[in-house]
Amino acid sequence: MSVPGDINLIKTKTSLTPEIIALMGQLRVVSFVGIGVILVVGFLIGISFLFLTNEQRSLAETKKQLLTVIAADAKKESLFFSLKDRIPVVDRAIQNEKPWGQILDMVGNVILPPKLISLAVDDHQVVFFNGKAGSVEEVAGWTSSIIDLVAKRRVRSPQLVSLQLTKEGSMLVSFSFIPN
Amino acid sequence: MIRRFLRPYQGFVVPVGMLVLCFIVTIFGIIPGARQTFALFNQINDARQEVSDLRAKATLLGSLDEATLFNQLSLLSSVIPVDKSVPTILSTIDGVGAATDTIFSSLQLTSPGSLATEAAKRQTTEEAALGSYLLPFTLTMEGGYQQLRNTLASLTSSRRLLRIKNFSISFANSGVGRSIMSMDAFYAPLPKSLASGTKKLVPLTQKEDTILTQVSNLPLLSRGVAPVGVVSVPHIDPFSP
């Protein structure tokens, strides 16, 4: 009970500036929004996780069933796998073959036995052949046939390896080329 | 005194507390949860792809005929046998000789080694590039120019694939030629590691189909001994999942 004439200098209420009051209000709004966002995001993550877990379980089940089906066809799978594995091997081997018949045809176009004495093909597929010519004109004819093959792009790098005149007057000639 | 000073600011306590809670929940709940969900999403994507591949594989295997596969593999194994198969080399040479009327005077296997598969044998660089092993041998034959020409063509295009590395022919005055050829016979064992259940399987491409047709059109020139067409079914890997 206050006695008239007493003076209370202590304020019963501390007043805040309007800025702080406004800040407090904004902070309250932000915090509620934050809680709201977290609840929504958390809910979405939880739902997604549950959905994905379910999906994973379902996929695992499907995979198991498919593996059972595939296991029943294991023999076919092994045969098919071996087939797929062997086809490129066979293809490479076929590609590796050289058309020797055609190469002999080319040599045959130039010179044939008994004028053709020998023929050889080395590891690098260079074709060497020796012929016995009765005259220079004959050698010139063979040379011209080889040049003709070069012009048709059937052979490359033609060489006159050697030319020898024998006692009998015949000529031993040696040629080489690389088939294309 | 301090209490009295803080009293006006007690309105901040609840929102600040909520914000701190938000922060903690984000750090320890939302972020790890999101990470785990994302990782699960990636796993499911992979699993979906795997299931899709397995479904395609099951469908493919279902559409294949075991007898046809066996015949196709037998065909390829007659072209390149699973082992050295020396008898088929001899029978092919014999058949070519009969077809072209050429006389084979000698055949010499350079390094026959084991008559079995020799799958553990180390491949040379060339063999590794070809994907098959090579059994070298030397062949000597006699005949006229055209006969020798036909023999050379037939030897490299028969059902049992042989390769001529190099050769020489010398002709006598009579026109009869004698040829010495360095040759290789191909052979390739069946693969050791076979497909596991989960391994992807691709259907035969058009190119592979063409190769199979090309191979089936190769003339069968072997005589007496049938080409190695019978293949045992490869073993299934018991440790595959």
Side-chain angles (χ1 to χ4, degrees):
Chain A
M1 193 169 167
S2 63
V3 181
D6 285 355
I7 300 165
N8 188 359
L9 294 175
I10 302 167
K11 288 180 181 173
T12 52
K13 262 187 161 181
T14 310
S15 61
L16 292 170
T17 61
E19 289 83 15
I20 290 180
I21 290 169
L23 180 68
M24 199 183 288
Q26 285 170 358
L27 205 59
R28 198 173 292 133
V29 171
V30 168
S31 65
F32 277 115
V33 169
I35 288 286
V37 167
I38 280 185
L39 282 176
V40 170
V41 171
F43 178 74
L44 288 176
I45 288 174
I47 288 288
S48 307
F49 190 79
L50 283 176
F51 173 77
L52 291 174
T53 310
N54 201 34
E55 175 85 0
Q56 193 183 33
R57 203 175 296 128
S58 161
L59 283 169
E61 188 60 36
T62 313
K63 183 180 167 181
K64 203 175 161 187
Q65 286 170 1
L66 286 168
L67 283 175
T68 312
V69 172
I70 290 167
D73 280 334
K75 199 174 167 187
K76 271 196 221 175
E77 187 187 1
S78 299
L79 285 167
F80 188 72
F81 183 77
S82 301
L83 187 71
K84 288 281 276 184
D85 180 75
R86 209 162 193 79
I87 288 174
V89 173
V90 171
D91 186 38
R92 280 196 288 269
I94 290 173
Q95 298 301 324
N96 200 254
E97 296 288 5
K98 297 282 180 295
W100 297 118
Q102 290 174 26
I103 291 165
L104 257 73
D105 287 343
M106 284 192 281
V107 175
N109 279 338
V110 179
I111 173 174
L112 275 170
K115 301 274 182 187
L116 179 65
I117 299 170
S118 65
L119 167 70
V121 178
D122 70 5
D123 284 343
H124 305 287
Q125 271 78 60
V126 182
V127 179
F128 295 91
F129 58 98
N130 301 311
K132 192 174 182 181
S135 63
V136 176
E137 285 76 22
E138 204 168 10
V139 176
W142 296 345
T143 310
S144 139
S145 300
I146 294 171
I147 289 169
D148 206 35
L149 288 172
V150 176
K152 287 176 184 166
R153 300 192 173 193
R154 295 179 68 187
V155 302
R156 64 180 194 278
S157 304
Q159 306 274 334
L160 176 64
V161 180
S162 69
L163 180 71
Q164 193 185 336
L165 191 66
T166 62
K167 283 182 203 170
E168 301 90 48
S170 59
M171 299 173 90
L172 293 175
V173 197
S174 185
F175 295 102
S176 76
F177 61 70
I178 302 170
N180 278 328
Chain B
M1 185 71 178
I2 296 168
R3 260 175 133 182
R4 193 169 295 157
F5 174 75
L6 288 176
R7 190 175 296 143
Y9 298 100
Q10 67 187 0
F12 280 106
V13 172
V14 174
V16 167
M18 282 164 73
L19 284 176
V20 169
L21 185 70
C22 285
F23 180 75
I24 291 169
V25 170
T26 304
I27 295 295
F28 295 105
I30 299 288
I31 292 174
R35 271 194 191 143
Q36 209 171 338
T37 307
F38 188 68
L40 190 59
F41 179 74
N42 284 338
Q43 279 175 23
I44 283 173
N45 270 345
D46 292 345
R48 270 197 200 117
Q49 184 60 48
E50 199 180 350
V51 165
S52 166
D53 290 345
L54 286 176
R55 193 167 281 130
K57 183 174 180 174
T59 312
L60 173 67
L61 287 175
S63 69
L64 295 171
D65 178 47
E66 195 177 312
T68 310
L69 285 175
F70 192 83
N71 288 339
Q72 287 173 328
L73 187 58
S74 296
L75 172 72
L76 293 185
S77 300
S78 69
V79 176
I80 297 186
V82 295
D83 56 24
K84 290 175 180 170
S85 183
V86 177
T88 61
I89 300 173
L90 299 175
S91 68
T92 302
I93 291 168
D94 189 31
V96 169
T100 59
D101 207 17
T102 313
I103 300 161
F104 289 101
S105 47
S106 80
L107 184 143
Q108 190 184 351
L109 287 170
T110 315
S111 55
S114 166
L115 290 172
T117 316
E118 276 195 322
K121 190 185 151 194
R122 206 168 182 177
Q123 283 186 317
T124 62
T125 315
E126 189 186 17
E127 286 172 332
L130 286 167
S132 53
Y133 291 90
L134 297 168
L135 176 65
F137 62 94
T138 308
L139 186 64
T140 308
M141 60 180 184
E142 286 170 20
Y145 188 85
Q146 200 56 39
Q147 290 162 333
L148 293 177
R149 179 246 175 251
N150 292 341
T151 306
L152 284 168
S154 300
L155 278 174
T156 51
S157 60
S158 74
R159 186 70 69 83
R160 171 70 164 101
L161 273 185
L162 304 170
R163 181 180 76 161
I164 300 173
K165 266 194 305 189
N166 60 61
F167 66 89
S168 65
I169 309 172
S170 53
F171 292 96
N173 287 335
S174 59
V176 174
R178 185 168 190 272
S179 175
I180 301 172
M181 295 184 284
S182 285
M183 297 182 68
D184 289 317
F186 296 93
Y187 68 99
L190 288 171
K192 270 186 170 178
S193 57
L194 290 173
S196 67
T198 50
K199 201 166 180 180
K200 204 174 167 181
L201 220 55
V202 185
L204 288 181
T205 61
Q206 201 178 348
K207 191 189 169 196
E208 288 169 330
D209 270 331
T210 312
I211 293 165
L212 277 172
T213 313
Q214 189 185 350
V215 166
S216 64
N217 289 334
L218 288 175
L220 187 60
L221 294 167
S222 56
R223 292 202 318 174
V225 179
V228 183
V230 182
V231 289
S232 56
V233 176
H235 299 292
I236 297 153
D237 184 1
F239 301 106
S240 66

